[in-house]
Amino acid sequence: MTTAQAPISLYGFLRPRPERADEVRQFLASLVEPTRREEGNLEYHLHAQDDGRLFLYEVWRSQEDLDRHNATPALRHFLDHLLDFLEEAPDGYFDTMISPYPGESGDSGESGDSGDSGDSDEPHGLEKTSGSAPLNATNVLPDRVA
């Protein structure tokens, strides 16, 4: 067995252009269930804010899993044309999770009712590290020239 990597999290706000808000919301909502079935996805949540912003929260088993997700054709198109869809660059972060992820590394913990894959709006076990970087097409898709 190989050395376990710490989970990777992406989270932040996206402000769709008013004329594309419904399109962006529908597109991102259409990604939720298929993304949750992707290998290496631990969590994927989309939240709507009262001011029209969308909050996206993702946790991936590894950078490789996230890279594979970002290479899917529909998501790749969205990320390549991000500012056609959004009013401004996302206010987001890309971090390594430093707290234990439930069920990882043999941490048995107290299972109780926690089998409910987290319908809560609260992020699970994230600590912001000095390695945080704003989410943009360059660090989400490193091969893209900004």
Side-chain angles (χ1 to χ4, degrees):
M1 190 170 205
T2 61
T3 305
Q5 294 180 328
I8 301 294
S9 57
L10 243 59
Y11 48 97
F13 291 95
L14 298 98
R15 184 178 303 280
R17 292 182 179 277
E19 69 275 12
R20 300 198 85 170
D22 288 339
E23 177 186 6
V24 170
R25 185 180 180 139
Q26 288 173 11
F27 171 71
L28 292 175
S30 77
L31 294 178
V32 173
E33 290 307 318
T35 299
R36 288 178 176 172
R37 290 190 299 269
E38 287 182 36
E39 181 181 349
N41 179 259
L42 302 175
E43 295 203 41
Y44 196 87
H45 304 280
L46 179 65
H47 306 266
Q49 304 294 302
D50 289 340
D51 65 1
R53 292 177 302 155
L54 300 170
F55 180 76
L56 188 61
Y57 172 66
E58 310 176 37
V59 180
W60 294 88
R61 177 182 60 196
S62 69
Q63 181 65 52
E64 293 77 23
D65 295 318
L66 175 58
D67 291 345
R68 190 173 37 257
H69 168 69
N70 286 333
T72 59
L75 188 55
R76 182 69 188 209
H77 174 79
F78 179 73
L79 293 171
D80 283 346
H81 298 92
L82 205 54
L83 293 180
D84 294 340
F85 297 103
L86 305 180
E87 286 188 341
E88 59 198 12
D91 176 21
Y93 301 89
F94 175 78
D95 296 313
T96 300
M97 186 177 284
I98 62 172
S99 59
Y101 191 81
E104 293 289 313
S105 344
D107 177 2
S108 59
E110 296 177 21
S111 55
D113 292 338
S114 65
D116 134 353
S117 80
D119 289 332
S120 167
D121 287 350
E122 295 296 320
H124 297 280
L126 292 180
E127 292 288 333
K128 200 163 174 186
T129 67
S130 61
S132 297
L135 177 62
N136 60 44
T138 303
N139 62 23
V140 173
L141 299 172
D143 58 328
R144 179 171 184 241
V145 177

